[in-house]
Amino acid sequence: MANNSYSGVKNSMVEANHDGEFGCTLKELRSLMELRGAEALTKIGESYGDIQGLCNRLKTSAVDGLSGQPTDIEKRKTVFGQNLIPPKKPKTFLQLVWEALQDVTLIILEVAAIVSLGLSFYRPPDAERDHCGKAAGGVEDENESEAGWIEGAAILLSVICVVLVTAFNDWSKEKQFRGLQSRIEQEQKFTVVRGGQVIQIPVAEIVVGDIAQIKYGDLLPADGVLIQGNDLKIDESSLTGESDHVKKTQEKDPMLLSGTHVMEGSGKMVVTAVGVNSQTGIIFTLLGGGEDDEDDEEEKKKEKEEKKKIFTVYVKHAIFLTTVLYFYIDKKQDGSVENRKKAKAQDGAAMEMQPLNSDEGADAEEKKKANLPKKEKSVLQGKLTKLAVQIGKAGLVMSAITVIILVVLFVVDTFWIQNLPWVKDCTPIYIQFFVKFFIIGVTVLVVAVPEGLPLAVTISLAYSVKKMMKDNNLVRHLDACETMGNATAICSDKTGTLTMNRMTVVQAYIAEKHYKKIPEPENIPSSSLDMLILGIAVNCAYTTKIMPPEKEGGLPRQVGNKTECALLGFSNDLKRDYQSIRNEIPEEKLYKVYTFNSVRKSMSTVLKMADGSYRMFSKGASEILLKKCYKILTANGEPKVFRPRDRDDMVKKVIEPMASEGLRTICLAYRDFSTADGEPDWDNENDILTGLTCICVVGIEDPVRPEVPDAIRKCQRAGITVRMVTGDNINTARAIATKCGILQPGDDFLCLEGKEFNRRIRNEKGEIEQERIDKIWPKLRVLARSSPTDKHTLVKGIIDSTVAEQRQVVAVTGDGTNDGPALKKADVGFAMGIAGTDVAKEASDIILTDDNFSSIVKAVMWGRNVYDSISKFLQFQLTVNVVAVIVAFTGACITQDSPLKAVQMLWVNLIMDTFASLALATEPPTESLLLRKPYGRNKPLISRTMMKNILGQGVYQLIIIFTLLFAGEKLFDIDSGRDAPLHAPPSEHYTIVFNTFVLMQLFNEINARKIHGERNVFEGIFNNMIFCSIVFGTFVIQIVIVQFGGKPFSCVALSIDQWLWCTFLGFGSLLWGQVISSIPTSRLKFLKTAGHGTQKEEIPDEELEELEDMDEIDHAERELRRGQILWFRGLNRIQTQMDVVSAFQSGTSFQGALRRQASNSSQQQHDVTNVSSPTHVLTDRPSGSASEMSYRCDP
């Protein structure tokens, strides 16, 4: 055994011995949970006698649980801790400000502004000034020359504004992420027994000593010891990496650990460790997940070291300005360099270094396994990354050329044309010119680089996610929201999604008679009725029950499995009480339970009778169970022989008519094992589940949700194919699909059963062939009697198919544990919030909190809206980019000065990046979004219509700006602002140019609301108050800047006439927009689209090989230099090894720091939180060599 003195959890651990209150201490329980199998049983036997003894020491009852008294619960929380793992502290606002200051262009601007500020205080003697050239002279007013410092100060002030806005955006984003995370955590509830009552409580409220009921699909929230179990199998791969399910029994291995999944069966456990003392908690604390002083200090040291490293990187790169700026463009896409480093460490360092926990709640969802196929990163992310990098490169080239031209023109003019010598006293003045040119170049770059893009995406997604919660969509992964807008196919479950999941028995075949409605109890032989009620009572999970209605006159509440609820309701309708039977035969007295799973398609319970014989009750899908029946109960309650011919007769006359009405048919049967034959071999299921006697067959109705047919119609109109994948019989599935509108009369479609589907897609060797799937899926509408594997095969087949024009984007709904692989494989996985198991929710991207199909349609609408919002923002931003860069560039070349000053450029950058992204990214969705086909993966971000709008508006704005620039002084009868000396006062001329430019952007922002060539750009404008207030607010601030901005903003107050002219020219862009709309795009063949995603075939083979060990093809990755990646990886490996070494040195349990690499066969993915300490990693398997071990620590 490893040393138990975990340094990481010393704060949470209460060292005092609490023998006075409870019979065991926290330390004892923790060391107990470190053991497995026989070792654990020996320890329990030695210390507590048996499991009952452990319950007594913990002052709890194995049957009634805790009393539930608040004082008792509080005492347990104090002694044994709470079931919470403290989250990492969020970054403070100041830390975010510091991160925003790391932006390379801002650093360059700050340096330039400080140099400019310093030099502005130097003035050569007046006598010398004439030697310094024309540009330096001509200052009329002494005060004016003294005001030279203002420009530098104004730039610094603008930088502070940009930094504060960026930091605030990051802060609100992080706050939203944490809100979302806590919302997901609050949704999690667990079933415990308190005071003899079975209740559901939030996971955080579970305490040591609670008796928890566990069932198929649960994610265990705490450590515990099994008290009673039925056929219980646990997936511990999150802990050991072993994909085989571990059978848990009281006799062999009763230890249950937090973070593991229940894959089969049910049972009860007594909770022995919670929160930071559970196995998951111990590992989290070891890795610095919980808050701890030592950890904090270490973290600060690490942060300092990281900052030093980053600083050295900056210094190395600063020698080459171009390289630094290139670095900046890359960095822009994914936050700060530090974050980029972490991202690379996580994405790039392959499987061997998966972080066990990470700062971001969203990242925590993305723990990966090696065996899963590569998924393309979000479509939008890929397209945006590529586009932003291209724009950034173009901007970099333009700014470099601008600086070069300005410097060359100045040097030629001063030293060649004016033929002046270089005078020593004039050097500071010349340097001031060069600094001024440099600042102009940097501002061109600031305007050119679209750093607003990531911001617009984040705002749009965060806004959508918040609003989607109201539409019953709880989004777990941000990009799923956008991917949903591209969905071309939805594979939906039937039960609960398309139907109401309120099941009732409406028909029955019992005592050789088919009843079209519930029969009267008198009409059924009493022996058959007794057998039926006993079978229903004991062979339905005890967690399933019918509760009285919440409101008087309402329907009884169904708790647990809905099919079982229907059967319990049937027993109530037959005027019999199932609960009295359950009280006589509690769950502990059940001899053996074969729980329902997707392979068996049935559930059986064995009772030991008083005479020592056994009776087994079974229920399951009628066509499957009837094949195992060889007798049937007759009208007088006696069993008679049931031949295959009788079975075929029954299928035709009873089961098919029921199924064609959309009913699910369930067969109830039993079997007696006599004492003479001795004890049967219970593990040989094939022999046990045969020779049954059929009691009855029931038809269960699950009505279609009233809103579903309309929702499916909307999907079909929007170009999305809806397919139903269900475990039900094919006739039931076809009837429901017709009611929903999935099948239309006269359509050419396929309805297949799982067996037939498998036969058609496999070759002679039994291997799946893509070509065979391609022949089936385009016409397939219903897949019945399907297993989870079939669902996964279908989803994978559709996604991998190349027969359609564009790659299919598939959304899948699932609720069962076995749906995990299909949910993971799908582009968007929807889990059911009510009926879904924890495992399904874990594997999903979006949780439907109302389990309703119509909520999926809302998700499609929001997804398409995100895509359109980004396109709107792009259309607006690129117009500004193009115009501002061309104006600054040509202005600099012709007049040796930029018409738009640095501070003005920063203001334009602020309105177009931050405010516009907020205004355009928060447009609410409309039904009209569902009237078009999905965009698909290859659709460019910038369509030809958008390109027409961008170029059209650009031409209008450039004509206006250049007219004002070169003829404005004549038109307005004012002094020219061109060729002004170094510290000349602001001119009316350039103020009018600046003002008109900003007002044109403001009016063009309204144009940008429509991207598909619509004429009415004002439609629905008042539905978005954010947009209205931002446009109005920007206009007010512009008035303040022009009228009162003065020297810092290089502005002069304008007269009313001049304002009206500026506004009229700005308004012209709306009128010009109408002219552009009138030109049909089809005529403009020369227009190109932009913003395509990276196609796989575009990536060279050697790069693909390099990306082999990554889970996703990250488009930004290809733009990063190889050296950078290797550097990050090397650094990360060293850091990982350091973590392992320090874990050893601090005497902590090394099992926590080391985890066996997940085995390739494991299909299931698990969340980062599901990690427990595998104490038998090194001892259980001597064959595991050192080379098999993999270090996986938090980078």
Side-chain angles (χ1 to χ4, degrees), residues 262-312:
V262 182
M263 299 311 277
E264 231 176 89
S266 60
K268 277 185 190 172
M269 73 169 187
V270 58
V271 175
T272 53
V274 293
V276 288
N277 300 304
S278 69
Q279 296 298 296
T280 306
I282 288 167
I283 285 196
F284 258 73
T285 320
L286 276 176
L287 293 168
E291 291 167 5
D292 194 286
D293 299 343
E294 276 181 30
D295 289 359
D296 280 357
E297 278 170 34
E298 275 178 39
E299 221 165 88
K300 277 173 192 164
K301 277 183 200 166
K302 267 189 199 169
E303 257 177 45
K304 273 184 192 168
E305 279 168 31
E306 266 194 19
K307 279 185 180 142
K308 273 184 202 164
K309 284 169 192 161
I310 291 168
F311 184 68
T312 26

Side-chain angles (χ1 to χ4, degrees), residues 376-390:
E376 282 256 334
K377 257 201 176 167
S378 143
V379 190
L380 190 61
Q381 258 175 325
K383 291 177 182 176
L384 278 178
T385 304
K386 202 174 170 193
L387 185 71
V389 169
Q390 288 165 346

Side-chain angles (χ1 to χ4, degrees), residues 878-923:
L878 291 182
T879 312
V880 191
N881 279 11
V882 168
V883 176
V885 171
I886 292 176
V887 166
F889 177 70
T890 45
C893 296
I894 297 167
T895 66
Q896 294 184 34
D897 188 6
S898 171
L900 298 171
K901 300 288 180 280
V903 179
Q904 295 172 353
M905 292 270 224
L906 286 169
W907 163 238
V908 170
N909 197 44
L910 195 70
I911 58 168
M912 73 182 193
D913 271 357
T914 311
F915 298 155
S917 59
L918 194 61
L920 291 167
T922 52
E923 289 271 315

Side-chain angles (χ1 to χ4, degrees), residues 568-587:
L568 295 176
F570 181 46
S571 108
N572 287 348
D573 292 340
L574 293 170
K575 318 230 176 351
R576 293 297 185 94
D577 180 21
Y578 68 87
Q579 194 55 52
S580 57
I581 296 173
R582 286 183 170 184
N583 295 342
E584 270 176 54
I585 311 172
E587 203 169 359

